[in-house]
Amino acid sequence: MIENKLISLLGEKNVLKDEPMKKHTTFKIGGNADFVVLPETAEQVVSVINLAKEENIPLTVLGNGSNVLVGDKGIRGIVMIISKNMSHIEIEGTRVRAGAGVLLSRLANVLYENSLKGFEFASGIPGSLGGAVYMNAGAYGEEMSGVVESVTYIDCENNIKTIPLCECDFGYRRSLFECHGGIVTECALRLDKGDKAEIKAKTDDLRERRVSKQPLDKPSAGSTFKRPEGYFAGALIEQANLKGFKIGGAEISEKHAGFVINNGNATAKDVLEVIEYAKKTVKEKFGVDLEPEIRILGEF
């Protein structure tokens, strides 16, 4: 039985059966997964991948669930969440090694406490380090590619590898790992020594800008669309007079049109329909194709 095999690999506390995915996404949306597993090491990640292949069971890998929409009927097979069980932080001078499951907000705070600058831009991004590296997350003109020194990941052949920045193939919201299905397990960052007061001031300034402009009081998956070349998705949606447009419990934020929010009872179907309507309207009005930044997973 698959449940017993998972428990033998990970321990009973790290295997959740028929688990609601709304507990594991920032959208607070999603039906149940057959199994959710919480590995503690890269070796356990490899073991789960091998088991899924042997048993011919679908496997989905998530981090903090901050950039995904899970279908109302959930996810079949195994969902492997790399989170707090893999969230170590080790600092040597200006070099930092951290597990892929550490939250960016927690990592930013630890770096501040150690007077390390250069990570302030990521302090308000609601995600994990692994997910941020996977999609080369960024904010306010800075990206993960600017601080990464090397990445440890599991490749498509299930080998654990460590590669330097120059091999990560970072681009706008993409990386080697995103393009070739790699699973990030650890990252080394190279930062600079800084003044704690200046680091705090920059972090506070970025936080205030984020709070004033983004609907952080409502569940969402962050910015819904990628930035079209030469445009801003939120501005196009606003110019199309779609602020406040809603279907069911899903709504284009009045505060920032680049965000689709969950007003408390949204279904995944509601969110998808709002996304499709925004895409259609922007295409008709401006001839610009909007591409979702969020990953859409599971059954609808």
Side-chain angles (χ1 to χ4, degrees):
M1 187 178 177
I2 187 65
E3 182 178 5
N4 292 336
K5 291 181 179 180
L6 288 169
I7 289 172
S8 71
L9 292 176
L10 305 175
E12 191 168 0
K13 68 177 180 177
N14 292 328
V15 178
L16 309 174
K17 186 178 181 180
D18 200 26
E19 177 74 359
M21 287 305 299
K22 64 183 180 182
K23 292 183 178 180
H24 301 281
T25 68
T26 58
F27 238 142
K28 306 301 181 188
I29 293 173
N32 291 6
D34 293 339
F35 294 98
V36 167
V37 299
L38 308 166
E40 298 180 353
T41 65
E43 289 73 21
Q44 286 187 348
V45 173
V46 169
S47 296
V48 172
I49 296 170
N50 285 332
L51 178 62
K53 287 180 179 178
E54 290 166 7
E55 300 287 340
N56 196 28
I57 294 173
L59 175 65
T60 303
V61 181
L62 290 182
N64 189 48
S66 61
N67 198 49
V68 299
L69 174 66
V70 175
D72 300 310
K73 295 181 181 177
I75 301 178
R76 304 287 67 80
I78 301 167
V79 176
M80 179 161 54
I81 299 180
I82 296 176
S83 58
K84 60 184 179 182
N85 285 349
M86 296 177 65
S87 60
H88 61 277
I89 302 172
E90 301 164 13
I91 297 177
E92 293 181 12
T94 56
R95 190 167 183 267
V96 180
R97 296 194 69 84
V102 68
L103 291 178
L104 297 176
S105 55
R106 175 173 168 248
L107 179 56
N109 189 58
V110 171
L111 298 178
Y112 158 72
E113 293 293 344
N114 284 270
S115 301
L116 293 174
K117 67 178 182 178
F119 202 73
E120 296 91 335
F121 75 94
S123 62
I125 298 175
S128 63
L129 179 61
V133 170
Y134 181 87
M135 66 173 291
N136 190 24
Y140 302 107
E142 298 181 70
E143 297 176 321
M144 292 302 300
S145 56
V147 294
V148 167
E149 180 180 75
S150 65
V151 177
T152 300
Y153 76 108
I154 298 165
D155 69 11
C156 59
E157 296 178 350
N158 226 9
N159 301 307
I160 300 174
K161 291 183 175 179
T162 300
I163 59 172
L165 169 65
C166 61
E167 294 180 23
C168 292
D169 195 24
F170 284 122
Y172 175 66
R173 300 299 177 264
R174 58 174 283 276
S175 69
L176 168 81
F177 321 105
E178 189 259 345
C179 294
H180 297 285
I183 299 172
V184 178
T185 59
E186 189 180 68
C187 186
L189 308 176
R190 177 69 74 180
L191 300 163
D192 295 309
K193 274 293 183 184
D195 177 78
K196 285 186 74 172
E198 292 178 1
I199 296 169
K200 185 177 187 304
K202 182 176 180 180
T203 302
D204 289 347
D205 175 57
L206 294 180
R207 182 182 295 113
E208 287 171 14
R209 289 162 65 182
R210 189 181 294 271
V211 168
S212 67
K213 294 178 180 178
Q214 298 180 7
L216 303 183
D217 59 327
K218 297 287 186 180
S220 77
S223 182
T224 306
F225 297 99
K226 293 181 180 179
R227 186 177 68 235
E229 190 171 348
Y231 300 91
F232 291 97
L236 290 172
I237 295 167
E238 182 173 355
Q239 289 162 23
N241 296 315
L242 290 179
K243 271 189 171 182
F245 174 81
K246 63 179 71 175
I247 294 175
E251 178 181 342
I252 294 175
S253 171
E254 293 271 13
K255 197 170 188 179
H256 191 311
F259 286 68
V260 176
I261 59 174
N262 174 5
N263 259 329
N265 61 347
T267 65
K269 183 172 179 290
D270 293 340
V271 173
L272 271 189
E273 289 181 356
V274 168
I275 288 173
E276 289 305 316
Y277 188 81
K279 288 171 61 179
K280 176 175 174 289
T281 305
V282 167
K283 178 67 172 178
E284 289 174 352
K285 286 184 177 288
F286 307 110
V288 178
D289 291 307
L290 292 182
E291 182 183 351
E293 185 171 301
I294 60 177
R295 294 169 63 201
I296 298 169
L297 304 172
E299 298 178 350
F300 285 79

